[in-house]
């Protein structure tokens, strides 16, 4: 069955272009041009992913994101303008999985959509012996690089795509300290317009999910004045 994607964008030209590319990739697409309609469409049929603009009539993207997060773990990619740095940070804090800065390449958007849907569709399904061989373990954490599953002491941990990407990179490079700039380049691996708070917010949310005491982390540590490293 084709994956269903809800596109929430008030600019109909952009919305139609996104729809065209998604349908070309085999996705089913529904469109909403304001936040109120987005909520209606979500309640009518929960999509497999939401592409969510921030500046919307009726309800803004933050309100829509918060509404969805109260109901489901549906992947959300927020679409933001170049100048909306604080909006992007707020989106991440509210639980958005990723964001993409306008203007963006459709090829990049399609890659993000596929990555988030692929990971979500594989979460918490039993790994085959071959897949299990790709598991990295450290201090009670287990990260499977083929199924995208993360567990702590055998209990599944629900991460967004970027939280998973960051944890995966730090575990593979454990002990090495990386500056925020390094992590933006190596984990996000495309140019973000904005400040390094994106990394800080993602680290904080990740700690909240994997640490026994986020205030006294044992896995992802801070080297003051330098950056972050994995020490589990």
């Amino acid at each position: 069955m084709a994956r269903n994607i809800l596109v929430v964008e008030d600019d109909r030209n952009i919305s139609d272009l996104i729809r065209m590319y998604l349908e070309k990739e085999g996705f089913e697409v529904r469109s909403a041009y304001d936040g109120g309609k987005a909520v209606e469409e979500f309640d009518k049929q929960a999509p497999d992913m939401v592409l969510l603009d921030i500046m919307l009539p009726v309800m803004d993207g933050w309100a829509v994101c918060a509404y969805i997060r109260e109901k489901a773990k549906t992947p959300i990619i927020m679409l933001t303008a170049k100048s909306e740095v604080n909006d992007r940070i707020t989106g991440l804090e509210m639980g958005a999985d990723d964001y993409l800065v306008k203007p963006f390449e459709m090829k990049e958007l399609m890659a993000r959509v596929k990555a988030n849907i692929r990971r979500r569709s594989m979460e918490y399904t039993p790994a085959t012996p071959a897949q299990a061989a790709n598991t990295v373990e450290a201090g009670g954490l287990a990260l499977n690089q083929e199924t995208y599953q993360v567990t702590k002491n055998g209990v599944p941990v629900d991460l967004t795509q970027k939280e998973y990407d960051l944890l995966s990179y730090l575990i593979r490079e454990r002990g090495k300290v990386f500056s925020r700039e390094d992590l933006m380049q190596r984990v996000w691996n495309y140019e973000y317009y904005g400040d390094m708070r994106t990394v800080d917010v993602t680290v904080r949310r990740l700690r909240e999910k994997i640490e026994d005491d986020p205030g006294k982390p044992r896995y992802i540590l801070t080297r003051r004045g330098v950056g972050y490293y994995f020490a589990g």
Side-chain angles (χ1 to χ4, degrees):
M1 185 175 67
R3 294 288 181 175
N4 183 281
I5 297 180
L6 177 59
V7 178
V8 187
E9 167 62 66
D10 64 333
D11 187 320
R12 291 181 182 250
N13 290 329
I14 295 177
S15 179
D16 289 346
L17 184 61
I18 293 174
R19 171 188 284 273
M20 181 181 71
Y21 273 84
L22 287 171
E23 290 181 340
K24 185 177 179 181
E25 294 290 337
F27 295 104
E28 293 179 356
V29 182
R30 288 179 291 149
S31 299
Y33 304 110
D34 65 65
K37 185 64 175 177
V39 167
E40 290 180 16
E41 287 293 328
F42 187 88
D43 286 341
K44 186 185 303 180
Q45 178 190 352
D48 296 294
M49 169 172 284
V50 178
L51 301 182
L52 180 60
D53 189 24
I54 290 179
M55 301 303 292
L56 296 168
V58 184
M59 291 173 62
D60 62 27
W62 296 342
V64 175
C65 182
Y67 180 87
I68 292 172
R69 276 294 167 264
E70 288 181 356
K71 292 176 169 284
K73 297 176 181 178
T74 306
I76 299 172
I77 298 179
M78 303 201 83
L79 309 178
T80 75
K82 178 178 178 179
S83 61
E84 296 168 347
V85 176
N86 289 332
D87 288 355
R88 298 197 291 276
I89 298 302
T90 301
L92 292 175
E93 291 176 334
M94 286 185 167
D97 293 74
D98 202 354
Y99 65 76
L100 195 58
V101 177
K102 299 177 182 178
F104 49 78
E105 295 288 338
M106 285 297 160
K107 180 170 65 174
E108 178 65 30
L109 176 60
M110 295 304 109
R112 306 277 193 88
V113 167
K114 291 176 182 177
N116 278 276
I117 282 187
R118 181 174 63 248
R119 180 177 173 275
R120 182 64 66 180
S121 67
M122 298 183 73
E123 277 188 332
Y124 313 139
T125 57
T128 66
Q131 290 172 334
N134 289 317
T135 298
V136 178
E137 298 185 10
L141 287 177
L143 185 148
N144 189 295
Q145 299 177 92
E146 187 166 345
T147 66
Y148 302 92
Q149 296 178 8
V150 176
T151 61
K152 180 181 178 182
N153 299 324
V155 179
V157 180
D158 183 58
L159 303 180
T160 67
Q161 181 68 43
K162 277 295 170 278
E163 289 164 358
Y164 172 87
D165 291 342
L166 178 60
L167 179 60
S168 176
Y169 185 78
L170 290 176
I171 285 181
R172 285 185 280 111
E173 301 291 338
R174 70 186 69 180
K176 297 181 181 178
V177 182
F178 295 97
S179 68
R180 293 168 177 82
E181 291 81 359
D182 286 338
L183 292 173
M184 288 288 280
Q185 180 180 359
R186 301 182 190 205
V187 175
W188 278 259
N189 61 59
Y190 49 83
E191 184 176 3
Y192 263 83
Y193 295 99
D195 60 31
M196 297 299 112
R197 285 181 296 167
T198 296
V199 177
D200 296 334
V201 169
T202 306
V203 168
R204 176 171 58 78
R205 290 185 59 82
L206 189 52
R207 283 172 170 166
E208 290 171 354
K209 295 179 179 182
I210 66 173
E211 301 284 359
D212 292 331
D213 182 354
K216 299 178 180 178
R218 59 168 291 201
Y219 295 112
I220 299 178
L221 303 186
T222 303
R223 181 66 54 81
R224 189 173 298 277
V226 182
Y228 298 106
Y229 65 101
F230 186 88

